[in-house]
Amino acid sequence: MIGAMVLVYRGFSGDYPWPNELVWNSLSGKLDAFQSWLLDERSAEPQSPFFKVFDGFATFVDNLVAWFTSAILWLTWLGAAAVGTLAVLRLGGVRAAMIVAGAFASFAAFGLWEASMETLALMIAAVGLSLLIGIPIGIVAGRSDRFYAAISPFLDAMQIVPAFAYLMPVVILFSIGPAAAVVSTMIYAIPPAVRITALGIRGVATNTVEAAASMGATRRQMLSKVQLPLARRMLLLGVNQTILFALSMVVIAGLIGGGGLGAVVTSGIYTNPALAILGGIAIVIMAMALDRSTEAIATRTDPAKRHLDATARARLRRFTLGCIGVGAAIVAASKLVGVSSVYPDETPGGRTATLQAWLLTQIQSVLDYVQNPDSWVYQITEPTSTWLLTKALLPLQSFLIGTPWFITLAGLTLIAFLISGLRPAVTTFLMLAWIGFMGVWALAMDTLSQVLVATVLAVVIGVALGVAAAESTKVSKILRPINDILQTLPQLVYIIPFIYLMPVSIVPGIIAGVLYAFPVVVRLVERGVRDVAPEAVEAAGAFGATRRQILTKVKIPLAGDAIMLGVNQGIVMVLAVVVIGGLVGSGGLGYEVAQGLVRGQFGQGVIASLAILALGIALDRVTQGTRRVRKDSIG
């Protein structure tokens, strides 16, 4: 099939672009008119009930964020650090508390205390509201297959559409400010809460549910006394993942008035890249501290693993009271001696109290070095970026754009059918046809070329490292912190250093996408290879297979679903970052969305956003394979 496409491409290159007769040319104008109508309705007197609801929610969220921020600052910087550390010490243990204390110390040392506390307040509000909505929906989805099937497309859309693609409609509805930032964060953070909660409810053993039903338990009792307690560990994992997903949105939220570390990063991208990177590092530290602390809390408070007698419970109560007392005493003492709400930049003696100036100098020196044509780093990155552009991106881009549209449409649909079946193939066809109908076929093929190149690199690296991690515990331990950093670093922050490292404008988005996506591939491949049935491995060994033969002939083939899931998720992750590369001129649909946001061209931005969603769904279906069979067990 690929060979036939190449022959057709050679014979008809450029002769068959998407026909204008099949394009809805007036769509952009209609969307612009809809935006104008919304703006008119927002400013109309009396205000419509529709906007009264949105304004009321925006006011509530603004006040909620302001209250959390004021509460944290009221504690003073010393009191806030003490209360946070003691709370984690009580619930998560010494190791987690030390990580949290180190995070607070880094915020102070970076000179970003106030911005960090603003981000923490924003995250408390966003995560709290996300869980308040996501957990009940997840419970219903876990108990009803029909409901879960009905909401799955919406959850897919919320995760596939790049975050900054829906900033414009959110701003129109909620105005610029903390409320718009919280809503944008919730759109991205609610799906993991729903999915993991549903998975936890579904994971409760059937015989346990049947036993409770046979004893006369009502539906409500079944939920509160059986399913929720037994799914508790998974629910806490949902909290953990919701926090991480919300933090990944911090920078994007900074574009629409979210403040905090997101504003530090977004304002520094073009004016002070070193400060933007430092802000990104602070976000990573916050994410890792919250990740480790919530994980520790989930482990230490698991009733299945912790059985306390009366003496232990009494000791635990005394420890709780002690932590509360020490925290209250530190806050009271801090207020009495006049400790400021924000960690000061200077000591009372006039000496610098932070390391910000020194850190910025060091980061900028590294950026200047890698950009210097005489440096050995530049001698590697410049030819690498040129090779990627000339040997991979441009040829693939030319092929996808130049191939007759009906050949590309038929080819991708056929691939989806062969890999995933009839229904995914139909969905792929409809999504690609919708892209052409909106008039952005060439732009979508441009973006597709970037996604495919980045995905190939991410999959090659991810599969190799995933297999190595599965075969070696040492490699797995080395890769875990690297994966954590790469997955918690906000998407936009990836682009900054690669603007310096890769001089060609289209390449930074590609490399950033690879780094953002390959940790997911590594984790899934490692899990899939490790989960291969021991009986199959033992049988191969009994027949005299070497370790290499067992790996290549048994483990990797049997882990095929996990590897395909890794490819699938890698594509989604790559798409999110490659599109953000549009902010630095990588072209394609991302550039259209960015220009629509910057220039206020609502119709252009929405069309490109819808095309991104359609492309993401199409790629998801093409690579779906049989992953749904094992998705729950892998997840």
Side-chain angles (χ1 to χ4, degrees):
M1 184 189 67
I2 299 300
M5 288 182 64
V6 172
L7 291 176
V8 172
Y9 168 74
R10 289 174 177 173
F12 299 101
S13 178
D15 292 340
Y16 293 93
W18 187 274
N20 191 56
E21 294 80 7
L22 297 179
V23 174
W24 188 0
N25 292 303
S26 61
L27 178 58
S28 179
K30 290 182 181 297
L31 290 170
D32 287 333
F34 177 66
Q35 180 198 26
S36 299
W37 177 81
L38 281 176
L39 294 174
D40 291 341
E41 287 295 309
R42 169 170 283 286
S43 58
E45 291 293 343
Q47 192 178 43
S48 68
F50 178 79
F51 279 106
K52 283 184 179 179
V53 172
F54 284 103
D55 285 349
F57 183 76
T59 301
F60 165 74
V61 175
D62 286 342
N63 292 336
L64 185 65
V65 174
W67 186 86
F68 281 128
T69 304
S70 299
I72 294 173
L73 296 179
W74 179 85
L75 293 173
T76 73
W77 68 265
L78 182 60
V83 169
T85 302
L86 288 168
V88 175
L89 175 65
R90 162 61 185 84
L91 297 173
V94 176
R95 184 176 180 180
M98 291 176 63
I99 293 174
V100 170
F104 280 115
S106 68
F107 302 148
F110 290 177
L112 297 173
W113 182 271
E114 186 172 12
S116 300
M117 296 305 103
E118 290 174 357
T119 294
L120 183 59
L122 187 73
M123 287 302 100
I124 293 173
V127 171
L129 292 173
S130 296
L131 294 174
L132 191 64
I133 296 172
I135 288 179
I137 294 176
I139 291 173
V140 177
R143 306 182 79 182
S144 170
D145 292 339
R146 183 176 297 177
F147 180 76
Y148 187 72
I151 65 172
S152 288
F154 298 98
L155 300 178
D156 290 341
M158 292 165 73
Q159 290 189 294
I160 289 173
V161 175
F164 74 96
Y166 48 73
L167 294 188
M168 191 179 300
V170 167
V171 167
I172 290 176
L173 294 174
F174 296 96
S175 300
I176 289 177
V182 168
V183 170
S184 298
T185 303
M186 290 171 62
I187 292 173
Y188 199 59
I190 285 175
V194 174
R195 293 185 191 277
I196 296 176
T197 300
L199 182 61
I201 296 296
R202 290 169 181 271
V204 175
T206 305
N207 57 357
T208 303
V209 175
E210 292 174 350
S214 66
M215 297 178 67
T218 65
R219 189 174 178 86
R220 177 177 294 181
Q221 290 173 330
M222 186 78 71
L223 177 65
S224 60
K225 303 295 186 181
V226 179
Q227 290 176 312
L228 286 179
L230 292 178
R232 182 180 174 283
R233 172 91 178 168
M234 193 62 71
L235 293 178
L236 287 174
L237 175 62
V239 174
N240 173 279
Q241 291 300 298
T242 302
I243 291 172
L244 295 182
F245 272 73
L247 272 168
S248 71
M249 276 291 296
V250 166
V251 175
I252 307 299
L255 292 171
I256 54 175
L261 294 171
V264 171
V265 174
T266 54
S267 63
I269 288 177
Y270 300 110
T271 59
N272 191 347
L275 182 60
I277 291 176
L278 188 64
I281 294 172
I283 294 172
V284 171
I285 291 173
M286 182 179 292
M288 293 185 71
L290 291 172
D291 174 57
R292 294 297 188 270
S293 58
T294 52
E295 182 181 14
I297 291 171
T299 301
R300 285 176 60 88
T301 59
D302 189 350
K305 297 182 178 180
R306 191 173 190 180
H307 304 282
L308 301 177
D309 56 20
T311 302
R313 285 195 294 270
R315 186 168 61 250
L316 193 60
R317 283 194 294 269
R318 289 194 297 271
F319 183 50
T320 302
L321 293 174
C323 289
I324 294 174
V326 171
I330 292 175
V331 171
S334 300
K335 303 288 284 186
L336 287 174
V337 301
V339 174
S340 62
S341 59
V342 177
Y343 185 81
D345 293 330
E346 294 183 349
T347 64
R351 300 181 62 182
T352 302
T354 72
L355 299 175
Q356 186 181 95
W358 180 81
L359 289 170
L360 292 179
T361 300
Q362 302 306 310
I363 294 173
Q364 189 59 53
S365 66
V366 173
L367 293 177
D368 292 338
Y369 175 77
V370 299
Q371 196 178 29
N372 185 349
D374 296 328
S375 68
W376 67 269
V377 176
Y378 189 91
Q379 298 301 320
I380 296 174
T381 58
E382 195 279 333
T384 300
S385 61
T386 301
W387 185 89
L388 279 175
L389 181 68
T390 59
K391 302 298 183 181
L393 280 169
L394 292 181
L396 183 58
Q397 184 184 104
S398 178
F399 174 77
L400 290 172
I401 295 176
T403 300
W405 64 271
F406 50 86
I407 297 297
T408 303
L409 184 62
L412 291 175
T413 303
L414 181 58
I415 292 172
F417 175 74
L418 294 174
I419 295 177
S420 306
L422 179 60
R423 183 175 295 181
V426 172
T427 303
T428 300
F429 176 84
L430 293 175
M431 291 299 102
L432 293 174
W434 174 244
I435 289 173
F437 187 59
M438 290 189 293
V440 289
W441 180 263
L443 291 171
M445 294 303 102
D446 183 355
T447 298
L448 179 59
S449 67
Q450 298 178 44
V451 171
L452 290 179
V453 170
T455 300
V456 169
L457 293 174
V459 169
V460 169
I461 296 171
V463 170
L465 292 179
V467 170
E471 293 292 290
S472 170
T473 304
K474 185 176 182 180
V475 173
S476 180
K477 289 181 179 180
I478 293 173
L479 286 176
R480 183 182 177 185
I482 298 174
N483 291 339
D484 289 343
I485 292 173
L486 292 176
Q487 284 194 283
T488 54
L489 192 67
Q491 298 164 357
L492 196 57
V493 177
Y494 277 96
I495 305 293
I496 299 171
F498 289 103
I499 295 174
Y500 285 79
L501 284 168
M502 303 290 185
V504 183
S505 62
I506 196 173
V507 176
I510 301 294
I511 301 301
V514 172
L515 291 179
Y516 188 63
F518 90 78
V520 177
V521 183
V522 170
R523 292 183 191 277
L524 290 171
V525 171
E526 179 183 358
R527 177 62 63 84
V529 174
R530 285 183 182 273
D531 285 349
V532 171
E535 296 81 3
V537 177
E538 292 171 359
F543 280 100
T546 64
R547 182 175 180 180
R548 182 176 181 178
Q549 289 173 327
I550 291 174
L551 177 63
T552 57
K553 303 296 185 180
V554 179
K555 290 185 177 180
I556 291 179
L558 291 178
D561 285 341
I563 294 173
M564 181 59 73
L565 176 58
V567 173
N568 176 275
Q569 293 300 293
I571 287 177
V572 174
M573 305 291 276
V574 164
L575 184 63
V577 178
V578 166
V579 171
I580 288 178
L583 292 174
V584 293
S586 65
L589 294 171
Y591 181 78
E592 291 295 303
V593 175
Q595 290 302 303
L597 182 64
V598 172
R599 298 179 180 178
Q601 296 173 345
F602 182 76
Q604 171 186 336
V606 170
I607 288 174
S609 300
L610 292 174
I612 291 167
L613 172 60
L615 183 62
I617 293 175
L619 290 171
D620 174 80
R621 297 308 185 265
V622 167
T623 58
Q624 194 177 84
T626 57
R627 69 185 176 92
R628 294 194 184 278
V629 176
R630 290 190 54 184
K631 186 174 183 179
D632 288 351
S633 61
I634 292 173

